[in-house]
mmCIF file of all heavy atoms in Angstrom:
data_model
loop_
_atom_site.group_PDB
_atom_site.id
_atom_site.type_symbol
_atom_site.label_atom_id
_atom_site.label_comp_id
_atom_site.label_asym_id
_atom_site.label_seq_id
_atom_site.Cartn_x
_atom_site.Cartn_y
_atom_site.Cartn_z
ATOM 1 N N LEU A 533 -18.853 -47.187 -43.706
ATOM 2 C CA LEU A 533 -19.255 -46.864 -42.336
ATOM 3 C C LEU A 533 -19.721 -45.412 -42.273
ATOM 4 O O LEU A 533 -18.939 -44.496 -42.493
ATOM 5 C CB LEU A 533 -18.079 -47.080 -41.362
ATOM 6 C CG LEU A 533 -18.379 -46.713 -39.905
ATOM 7 C CD1 LEU A 533 -19.454 -47.612 -39.317
ATOM 8 C CD2 LEU A 533 -17.112 -46.753 -39.065
ATOM 9 N N LEU A 534 -20.984 -45.274 -41.971
ATOM 10 C CA LEU A 534 -21.562 -43.940 -41.859
ATOM 11 C C LEU A 534 -21.665 -43.612 -40.377
ATOM 12 O O LEU A 534 -22.183 -44.413 -39.612
ATOM 13 C CB LEU A 534 -22.945 -43.938 -42.503
ATOM 14 C CG LEU A 534 -23.551 -42.580 -42.826
ATOM 15 C CD1 LEU A 534 -22.838 -41.965 -44.023
ATOM 16 C CD2 LEU A 534 -25.026 -42.748 -43.144
ATOM 17 N N THR A 535 -21.178 -42.451 -39.986
ATOM 18 C CA THR A 535 -21.341 -42.066 -38.584
ATOM 19 C C THR A 535 -22.172 -40.800 -38.506
ATOM 20 O O THR A 535 -21.906 -39.826 -39.203
ATOM 21 C CB THR A 535 -19.968 -41.838 -37.899
ATOM 22 O OG1 THR A 535 -19.174 -41.015 -38.748
ATOM 23 C CG2 THR A 535 -19.261 -43.152 -37.646
ATOM 24 N N LEU A 536 -23.152 -40.895 -37.649
ATOM 25 C CA LEU A 536 -24.023 -39.741 -37.414
ATOM 26 C C LEU A 536 -23.835 -39.336 -35.963
ATOM 27 O O LEU A 536 -23.905 -40.179 -35.069
ATOM 28 C CB LEU A 536 -25.482 -40.135 -37.655
ATOM 29 C CG LEU A 536 -26.553 -39.155 -37.163
ATOM 30 C CD1 LEU A 536 -26.510 -37.850 -37.948
ATOM 31 C CD2 LEU A 536 -27.936 -39.793 -37.252
ATOM 32 N N ASN A 537 -23.565 -38.078 -35.763
ATOM 33 C CA ASN A 537 -23.452 -37.615 -34.386
ATOM 34 C C ASN A 537 -24.559 -36.617 -34.091
ATOM 35 O O ASN A 537 -24.641 -35.550 -34.697
ATOM 36 C CB ASN A 537 -22.083 -36.986 -34.149
ATOM 37 C CG ASN A 537 -21.909 -36.647 -32.666
ATOM 38 O OD1 ASN A 537 -22.509 -37.301 -31.814
ATOM 39 N ND2 ASN A 537 -21.130 -35.626 -32.376
ATOM 40 N N LEU A 538 -25.415 -37.017 -33.177
ATOM 41 C CA LEU A 538 -26.499 -36.139 -32.747
ATOM 42 C C LEU A 538 -26.156 -35.656 -31.356
ATOM 43 O O LEU A 538 -26.245 -36.422 -30.387
ATOM 44 C CB LEU A 538 -27.825 -36.900 -32.710
ATOM 45 C CG LEU A 538 -28.312 -37.512 -34.014
ATOM 46 C CD1 LEU A 538 -29.478 -38.465 -33.748
ATOM 47 C CD2 LEU A 538 -28.738 -36.432 -34.998
ATOM 48 N N PRO A 539 -25.733 -34.408 -31.213
ATOM 49 C CA PRO A 539 -25.398 -33.924 -29.863
ATOM 50 C C PRO A 539 -26.632 -33.961 -28.981
ATOM 51 O O PRO A 539 -27.740 -33.730 -29.445
ATOM 52 C CB PRO A 539 -24.940 -32.484 -30.103
ATOM 53 C CG PRO A 539 -24.656 -32.394 -31.564
ATOM 54 C CD PRO A 539 -25.538 -33.385 -32.235
ATOM 55 N N MET A 540 -26.431 -34.280 -27.721
ATOM 56 C CA MET A 540 -27.562 -34.403 -26.804
ATOM 57 C C MET A 540 -27.411 -33.493 -25.605
ATOM 58 O O MET A 540 -27.308 -33.961 -24.458
ATOM 59 C CB MET A 540 -27.719 -35.851 -26.332
ATOM 60 C CG MET A 540 -28.256 -36.791 -27.388
ATOM 61 S SD MET A 540 -28.576 -38.401 -26.662
ATOM 62 C CE MET A 540 -29.343 -39.256 -28.019
ATOM 63 N N PRO A 541 -27.430 -32.201 -25.818
ATOM 64 C CA PRO A 541 -27.446 -31.320 -24.649
ATOM 65 C C PRO A 541 -28.812 -31.384 -23.989
ATOM 66 O O PRO A 541 -29.785 -31.807 -24.617
ATOM 67 C CB PRO A 541 -27.196 -29.943 -25.269
ATOM 68 C CG PRO A 541 -27.740 -30.051 -26.660
ATOM 69 C CD PRO A 541 -27.508 -31.473 -27.089
ATOM 70 N N VAL A 542 -28.861 -30.982 -22.736
ATOM 71 C CA VAL A 542 -30.164 -30.872 -22.068
ATOM 72 C C VAL A 542 -30.874 -29.662 -22.663
ATOM 73 O O VAL A 542 -30.309 -28.569 -22.720
ATOM 74 C CB VAL A 542 -29.990 -30.698 -20.546
ATOM 75 C CG1 VAL A 542 -31.354 -30.489 -19.891
ATOM 76 C CG2 VAL A 542 -29.282 -31.907 -19.962
ATOM 77 N N ARG A 543 -32.075 -29.862 -23.150
ATOM 78 C CA ARG A 543 -32.819 -28.758 -23.778
ATOM 79 C C ARG A 543 -34.023 -28.410 -22.920
ATOM 80 O O ARG A 543 -34.690 -29.295 -22.359
ATOM 81 C CB ARG A 543 -33.283 -29.141 -25.186
ATOM 82 C CG ARG A 543 -32.174 -29.598 -26.124
ATOM 83 C CD ARG A 543 -31.147 -28.508 -26.412
ATOM 84 N NE ARG A 543 -31.689 -27.310 -27.011
ATOM 85 C CZ ARG A 543 -31.817 -27.125 -28.335
ATOM 86 N NH1 ARG A 543 -31.484 -28.080 -29.179
ATOM 87 N NH2 ARG A 543 -32.287 -25.998 -28.805
ATOM 88 N N LYS A 544 -34.280 -27.119 -22.835
ATOM 89 C CA LYS A 544 -35.447 -26.644 -22.087
ATOM 90 C C LYS A 544 -36.564 -26.322 -23.078
ATOM 91 O O LYS A 544 -36.316 -25.643 -24.078
ATOM 92 C CB LYS A 544 -35.073 -25.397 -21.272
ATOM 93 C CG LYS A 544 -34.174 -25.712 -20.099
ATOM 94 C CD LYS A 544 -33.540 -24.478 -19.525
ATOM 95 C CE LYS A 544 -32.395 -24.006 -20.415
ATOM 96 N NZ LYS A 544 -31.445 -23.094 -19.756
ATOM 97 N N ILE A 545 -37.739 -26.790 -22.762
ATOM 98 C CA ILE A 545 -38.873 -26.575 -23.667
ATOM 99 C C ILE A 545 -39.897 -25.693 -22.982
ATOM 100 O O ILE A 545 -40.203 -25.877 -21.796
ATOM 101 C CB ILE A 545 -39.518 -27.928 -24.068
ATOM 102 C CG1 ILE A 545 -38.533 -28.758 -24.880
ATOM 103 C CG2 ILE A 545 -40.816 -27.705 -24.828
ATOM 104 C CD1 ILE A 545 -39.020 -30.162 -25.191
ATOM 105 N N LYS A 546 -40.424 -24.751 -23.741
ATOM 106 C CA LYS A 546 -41.557 -23.941 -23.265
ATOM 107 C C LYS A 546 -42.772 -24.244 -24.121
ATOM 108 O O LYS A 546 -42.625 -24.511 -25.320
ATOM 109 C CB LYS A 546 -41.234 -22.444 -23.399
ATOM 110 C CG LYS A 546 -40.288 -21.933 -22.341
ATOM 111 C CD LYS A 546 -40.285 -20.414 -22.353
ATOM 112 C CE LYS A 546 -41.561 -19.883 -21.700
ATOM 113 N NZ LYS A 546 -41.311 -18.677 -20.887
ATOM 114 N N ALA A 547 -43.909 -24.174 -23.490
ATOM 115 C CA ALA A 547 -45.147 -24.286 -24.266
ATOM 116 C C ALA A 547 -45.666 -22.885 -24.537
ATOM 117 O O ALA A 547 -45.393 -21.965 -23.755
ATOM 118 C CB ALA A 547 -46.191 -25.092 -23.507
ATOM 119 N N ILE A 548 -46.402 -22.704 -25.631
ATOM 120 C CA ILE A 548 -46.970 -21.381 -25.854
ATOM 121 C C ILE A 548 -48.025 -21.093 -24.790
ATOM 122 O O ILE A 548 -48.564 -22.003 -24.158
ATOM 123 C CB ILE A 548 -47.588 -21.241 -27.274
ATOM 124 C CG1 ILE A 548 -48.670 -22.277 -27.511
ATOM 125 C CG2 ILE A 548 -46.523 -21.307 -28.322
ATOM 126 C CD1 ILE A 548 -49.441 -22.027 -28.792
ATOM 127 N N ASP A 549 -48.334 -19.829 -24.631
ATOM 128 C CA ASP A 549 -49.205 -19.423 -23.530
ATOM 129 C C ASP A 549 -50.607 -20.008 -23.605
ATOM 130 O O ASP A 549 -51.335 -20.068 -22.617
ATOM 131 C CB ASP A 549 -49.287 -17.886 -23.463
ATOM 132 C CG ASP A 549 -47.968 -17.298 -22.973
ATOM 133 O OD1 ASP A 549 -47.126 -18.088 -22.488
ATOM 134 O OD2 ASP A 549 -47.788 -16.076 -23.093
ATOM 135 N N SER A 550 -50.988 -20.429 -24.814
ATOM 136 C CA SER A 550 -52.320 -21.033 -24.945
ATOM 137 C C SER A 550 -52.466 -22.253 -24.042
ATOM 138 O O SER A 550 -53.568 -22.596 -23.622
ATOM 139 C CB SER A 550 -52.574 -21.441 -26.398
ATOM 140 O OG SER A 550 -52.326 -20.362 -27.255
ATOM 141 N N VAL A 551 -51.341 -22.921 -23.781
ATOM 142 C CA VAL A 551 -51.390 -24.037 -22.822
ATOM 143 C C VAL A 551 -51.256 -23.404 -21.447
ATOM 144 O O VAL A 551 -50.156 -23.247 -20.910
ATOM 145 C CB VAL A 551 -50.267 -25.059 -23.099
ATOM 146 C CG1 VAL A 551 -50.456 -26.282 -22.211
ATOM 147 C CG2 VAL A 551 -50.245 -25.462 -24.562
ATOM 148 N N LYS A 552 -52.377 -23.030 -20.888
ATOM 149 C CA LYS A 552 -52.353 -22.156 -19.698
ATOM 150 C C LYS A 552 -51.638 -22.800 -18.529
ATOM 151 O O LYS A 552 -50.954 -22.114 -17.759
ATOM 152 C CB LYS A 552 -53.784 -21.779 -19.308
ATOM 153 C CG LYS A 552 -54.471 -20.932 -20.377
ATOM 154 C CD LYS A 552 -55.656 -20.179 -19.786
ATOM 155 C CE LYS A 552 -56.334 -19.286 -20.803
ATOM 156 N NZ LYS A 552 -57.332 -19.985 -21.626
ATOM 157 N N VAL A 553 -51.765 -24.108 -18.360
ATOM 158 C CA VAL A 553 -51.180 -24.751 -17.180
ATOM 159 C C VAL A 553 -49.659 -24.736 -17.222
ATOM 160 O O VAL A 553 -49.017 -24.958 -16.201
ATOM 161 C CB VAL A 553 -51.652 -26.219 -17.026
ATOM 162 C CG1 VAL A 553 -53.131 -26.265 -16.710
ATOM 163 C CG2 VAL A 553 -51.326 -27.034 -18.272
ATOM 164 N N ASN A 554 -49.079 -24.481 -18.389
ATOM 165 C CA ASN A 554 -47.629 -24.545 -18.481
ATOM 166 C C ASN A 554 -46.957 -23.167 -18.552
ATOM 167 O O ASN A 554 -45.765 -23.070 -18.832
ATOM 168 C CB ASN A 554 -47.207 -25.394 -19.699
ATOM 169 C CG ASN A 554 -47.526 -26.867 -19.470
ATOM 170 O OD1 ASN A 554 -47.705 -27.295 -18.324
ATOM 171 N ND2 ASN A 554 -47.609 -27.625 -20.538
ATOM 172 N N VAL A 555 -47.745 -22.122 -18.281
ATOM 173 C CA VAL A 555 -47.144 -20.786 -18.240
ATOM 174 C C VAL A 555 -46.135 -20.741 -17.080
ATOM 175 O O VAL A 555 -46.401 -21.273 -15.996
ATOM 176 C CB VAL A 555 -48.245 -19.714 -18.064
ATOM 177 C CG1 VAL A 555 -47.616 -18.355 -17.772
ATOM 178 C CG2 VAL A 555 -49.110 -19.664 -19.308
ATOM 179 N N ASN A 556 -44.991 -20.155 -17.351
ATOM 180 C CA ASN A 556 -43.909 -20.087 -16.362
ATOM 181 C C ASN A 556 -43.374 -21.474 -15.989
ATOM 182 O O ASN A 556 -42.978 -21.719 -14.846
ATOM 183 C CB ASN A 556 -44.352 -19.359 -15.081
ATOM 184 C CG ASN A 556 -44.653 -17.898 -15.341
ATOM 185 O OD1 ASN A 556 -44.061 -17.308 -16.245
ATOM 186 N ND2 ASN A 556 -45.578 -17.351 -14.584
ATOM 187 N N LYS A 557 -43.400 -22.372 -16.945
ATOM 188 C CA LYS A 557 -42.825 -23.694 -16.686
ATOM 189 C C LYS A 557 -41.944 -24.085 -17.857
ATOM 190 O O LYS A 557 -42.130 -23.606 -18.985
ATOM 191 C CB LYS A 557 -43.925 -24.749 -16.536
ATOM 192 C CG LYS A 557 -44.668 -24.649 -15.203
ATOM 193 C CD LYS A 557 -45.707 -25.738 -15.106
ATOM 194 C CE LYS A 557 -46.462 -25.631 -13.775
ATOM 195 N NZ LYS A 557 -47.574 -26.574 -13.722
ATOM 196 N N ILE A 558 -40.984 -24.940 -17.558
ATOM 197 C CA ILE A 558 -40.197 -25.550 -18.633
ATOM 198 C C ILE A 558 -40.201 -27.055 -18.442
ATOM 199 O O ILE A 558 -40.442 -27.571 -17.343
ATOM 200 C CB ILE A 558 -38.730 -25.043 -18.651
ATOM 201 C CG1 ILE A 558 -38.081 -25.276 -17.285
ATOM 202 C CG2 ILE A 558 -38.668 -23.581 -19.079
ATOM 203 C CD1 ILE A 558 -36.586 -25.030 -17.289
ATOM 204 N N ALA A 559 -39.947 -27.734 -19.529
ATOM 205 C CA ALA A 559 -39.757 -29.180 -19.461
ATOM 206 C C ALA A 559 -38.375 -29.484 -20.007
ATOM 207 O O ALA A 559 -37.831 -28.723 -20.812
ATOM 208 C CB ALA A 559 -40.831 -29.896 -20.279
ATOM 209 N N LEU A 560 -37.803 -30.562 -19.549
ATOM 210 C CA LEU A 560 -36.427 -30.903 -19.935
ATOM 211 C C LEU A 560 -36.437 -32.092 -20.887
ATOM 212 O O LEU A 560 -37.109 -33.095 -20.652
ATOM 213 C CB LEU A 560 -35.600 -31.256 -18.697
ATOM 214 C CG LEU A 560 -35.536 -30.180 -17.593
ATOM 215 C CD1 LEU A 560 -34.676 -30.670 -16.436
ATOM 216 C CD2 LEU A 560 -35.007 -28.858 -18.154
ATOM 217 N N GLN A 561 -35.668 -31.914 -21.946
ATOM 218 C CA GLN A 561 -35.539 -33.010 -22.898
ATOM 219 C C GLN A 561 -34.067 -33.234 -23.163
ATOM 220 O O GLN A 561 -33.272 -32.294 -23.292
ATOM 221 C CB GLN A 561 -36.257 -32.671 -24.211
ATOM 222 C CG GLN A 561 -36.052 -33.742 -25.291
ATOM 223 C CD GLN A 561 -36.956 -33.553 -26.498
ATOM 224 O OE1 GLN A 561 -37.742 -32.606 -26.547
ATOM 225 N NE2 GLN A 561 -36.845 -34.454 -27.462
ATOM 226 N N ARG A 562 -33.713 -34.499 -23.260
ATOM 227 C CA ARG A 562 -32.344 -34.820 -23.687
ATOM 228 C C ARG A 562 -32.447 -35.974 -24.681
ATOM 229 O O ARG A 562 -33.014 -37.016 -24.369
ATOM 230 C CB ARG A 562 -31.479 -35.229 -22.497
ATOM 231 C CG ARG A 562 -30.047 -35.523 -22.920
ATOM 232 C CD ARG A 562 -29.139 -35.821 -21.737
ATOM 233 N NE ARG A 562 -27.789 -36.096 -22.210
ATOM 234 C CZ ARG A 562 -27.391 -37.298 -22.653
ATOM 235 N NH1 ARG A 562 -28.228 -38.314 -22.672
ATOM 236 N NH2 ARG A 562 -26.145 -37.462 -23.080
ATOM 237 N N GLY A 563 -31.911 -35.738 -25.862
ATOM 238 C CA GLY A 563 -32.122 -36.734 -26.896
ATOM 239 C C GLY A 563 -33.613 -36.869 -27.122
ATOM 240 O O GLY A 563 -34.344 -35.881 -27.146
ATOM 241 N N PRO A 564 -34.115 -38.079 -27.287
ATOM 242 C CA PRO A 564 -35.552 -38.259 -27.520
ATOM 243 C C PRO A 564 -36.364 -38.314 -26.225
ATOM 244 O O PRO A 564 -37.580 -38.437 -26.274
ATOM 245 C CB PRO A 564 -35.613 -39.614 -28.225
ATOM 246 C CG PRO A 564 -34.468 -40.370 -27.651
ATOM 247 C CD PRO A 564 -33.385 -39.367 -27.395
ATOM 248 N N LEU A 565 -35.677 -38.258 -25.099
ATOM 249 C CA LEU A 565 -36.359 -38.530 -23.828
ATOM 250 C C LEU A 565 -36.815 -37.257 -23.138
ATOM 251 O O LEU A 565 -36.065 -36.283 -23.051
ATOM 252 C CB LEU A 565 -35.418 -39.281 -22.874
ATOM 253 C CG LEU A 565 -34.949 -40.656 -23.329
ATOM 254 C CD1 LEU A 565 -33.976 -41.224 -22.292
ATOM 255 C CD2 LEU A 565 -36.141 -41.599 -23.515
ATOM 256 N N MET A 566 -38.015 -37.308 -22.637
ATOM 257 C CA MET A 566 -38.497 -36.263 -21.744
ATOM 258 C C MET A 566 -38.106 -36.662 -20.331
ATOM 259 O O MET A 566 -38.076 -37.843 -19.983
ATOM 260 C CB MET A 566 -40.015 -36.116 -21.836
ATOM 261 C CG MET A 566 -40.509 -35.516 -23.125
ATOM 262 S SD MET A 566 -39.654 -33.985 -23.589
ATOM 263 C CE MET A 566 -39.975 -32.963 -22.140
ATOM 264 N N TYR A 567 -37.822 -35.656 -19.537
ATOM 265 C CA TYR A 567 -37.411 -35.907 -18.151
ATOM 266 C C TYR A 567 -38.461 -35.396 -17.193
ATOM 267 O O TYR A 567 -39.298 -34.549 -17.535
ATOM 268 C CB TYR A 567 -36.048 -35.243 -17.886
ATOM 269 C CG TYR A 567 -34.902 -36.125 -18.339
ATOM 270 C CD1 TYR A 567 -34.658 -36.335 -19.701
ATOM 271 C CD2 TYR A 567 -34.089 -36.783 -17.409
ATOM 272 C CE1 TYR A 567 -33.633 -37.162 -20.120
ATOM 273 C CE2 TYR A 567 -33.054 -37.611 -17.825
ATOM 274 C CZ TYR A 567 -32.833 -37.803 -19.177
ATOM 275 O OH TYR A 567 -31.827 -38.640 -19.574
ATOM 276 N N CYS A 568 -38.389 -35.939 -15.977
ATOM 277 C CA CYS A 568 -39.292 -35.465 -14.945
ATOM 278 C C CYS A 568 -38.520 -35.419 -13.632
ATOM 279 O O CYS A 568 -37.499 -36.085 -13.474
ATOM 280 C CB CYS A 568 -40.500 -36.391 -14.810
ATOM 281 S SG CYS A 568 -40.087 -38.044 -14.256
ATOM 282 N N VAL A 569 -39.034 -34.641 -12.744
ATOM 283 C CA VAL A 569 -38.450 -34.629 -11.401
ATOM 284 C C VAL A 569 -39.326 -35.517 -10.539
ATOM 285 O O VAL A 569 -40.527 -35.273 -10.405
ATOM 286 C CB VAL A 569 -38.392 -33.203 -10.834
ATOM 287 C CG1 VAL A 569 -37.961 -33.250 -9.369
ATOM 288 C CG2 VAL A 569 -37.440 -32.359 -11.662
ATOM 289 N N GLU A 570 -38.747 -36.560 -10.029
ATOM 290 C CA GLU A 570 -39.495 -37.474 -9.175
ATOM 291 C C GLU A 570 -38.931 -37.409 -7.766
ATOM 292 O O GLU A 570 -37.725 -37.547 -7.563
ATOM 293 C CB GLU A 570 -39.389 -38.917 -9.683
ATOM 294 C CG GLU A 570 -40.232 -39.868 -8.847
ATOM 295 C CD GLU A 570 -40.062 -41.326 -9.231
ATOM 296 O OE1 GLU A 570 -38.939 -41.716 -9.598
ATOM 297 O OE2 GLU A 570 -41.058 -42.079 -9.156
ATOM 298 N N GLN A 571 -39.787 -37.153 -6.820
ATOM 299 C CA GLN A 571 -39.359 -37.122 -5.423
ATOM 300 C C GLN A 571 -40.011 -38.293 -4.697
ATOM 301 O O GLN A 571 -41.210 -38.273 -4.412
ATOM 302 C CB GLN A 571 -39.736 -35.794 -4.772
ATOM 303 C CG GLN A 571 -39.127 -34.616 -5.522
ATOM 304 C CD GLN A 571 -39.269 -33.320 -4.761
ATOM 305 O OE1 GLN A 571 -38.836 -33.221 -3.603
ATOM 306 N NE2 GLN A 571 -39.871 -32.345 -5.394
ATOM 307 N N VAL A 572 -39.183 -39.301 -4.484
ATOM 308 C CA VAL A 572 -39.707 -40.507 -3.853
ATOM 309 C C VAL A 572 -40.019 -40.189 -2.387
ATOM 310 O O VAL A 572 -39.320 -39.410 -1.751
ATOM 311 C CB VAL A 572 -38.669 -41.640 -3.956
ATOM 312 C CG1 VAL A 572 -39.205 -42.915 -3.316
ATOM 313 C CG2 VAL A 572 -38.336 -41.890 -5.426
ATOM 314 N N ASN A 573 -41.067 -40.763 -1.878
ATOM 315 C CA ASN A 573 -41.556 -40.356 -0.561
ATOM 316 C C ASN A 573 -40.593 -40.620 0.568
ATOM 317 O O ASN A 573 -40.713 -40.046 1.633
ATOM 318 C CB ASN A 573 -42.890 -41.052 -0.270
ATOM 319 C CG ASN A 573 -44.006 -40.307 -0.936
ATOM 320 O OD1 ASN A 573 -43.748 -39.439 -1.779
ATOM 321 N ND2 ASN A 573 -45.233 -40.632 -0.594
ATOM 322 N N THR A 574 -39.638 -41.526 0.331
ATOM 323 C CA THR A 574 -38.671 -41.775 1.387
ATOM 324 C C THR A 574 -37.686 -40.620 1.524
ATOM 325 O O THR A 574 -36.998 -40.518 2.515
ATOM 326 C CB THR A 574 -37.898 -43.081 1.101
ATOM 327 O OG1 THR A 574 -37.414 -43.014 -0.229
ATOM 328 C CG2 THR A 574 -38.783 -44.295 1.270
ATOM 329 N N ASP A 575 -37.614 -39.752 0.500
ATOM 330 C CA ASP A 575 -36.802 -38.537 0.667
ATOM 331 C C ASP A 575 -37.346 -37.802 1.879
ATOM 332 O O ASP A 575 -38.534 -37.880 2.190
ATOM 333 C CB ASP A 575 -36.919 -37.643 -0.561
ATOM 334 C CG ASP A 575 -36.242 -38.257 -1.781
ATOM 335 O OD1 ASP A 575 -35.616 -39.326 -1.632
ATOM 336 O OD2 ASP A 575 -36.386 -37.682 -2.876
ATOM 337 N N GLN A 576 -36.457 -37.023 2.527
ATOM 338 C CA GLN A 576 -36.877 -36.411 3.802
ATOM 339 C C GLN A 576 -38.120 -35.544 3.592
ATOM 340 O O GLN A 576 -39.230 -35.894 3.932
ATOM 341 C CB GLN A 576 -35.739 -35.569 4.375
ATOM 342 C CG GLN A 576 -34.425 -36.282 4.415
ATOM 343 C CD GLN A 576 -33.340 -35.478 3.722
ATOM 344 O OE1 GLN A 576 -33.534 -34.339 3.328
ATOM 345 N NE2 GLN A 576 -32.162 -36.087 3.596
#
Side-chain angles (χ1 to χ4, degrees):
Chain A
L533 178 64
L534 196 73
T535 48
L536 167 67
N537 186 28
L538 300 168
M540 287 187 174
V542 176
R543 305 297 301 271
K544 289 166 283 199
I545 295 174
K546 284 193 76 142
I548 58 171
D549 289 348
S550 308
V551 187
K552 295 200 178 85
V553 293
N554 290 340
V555 170
N556 294 331
K557 286 182 181 173
I558 55 170
L560 303 180
Q561 175 169 1
R562 182 175 180 277
L565 297 177
M566 289 310 302
Y567 276 71
C568 64
V569 172
E570 183 185 35
Q571 302 191 56
V572 181
N573 278 13
T574 51
D575 291 355
Q576 311 127 7

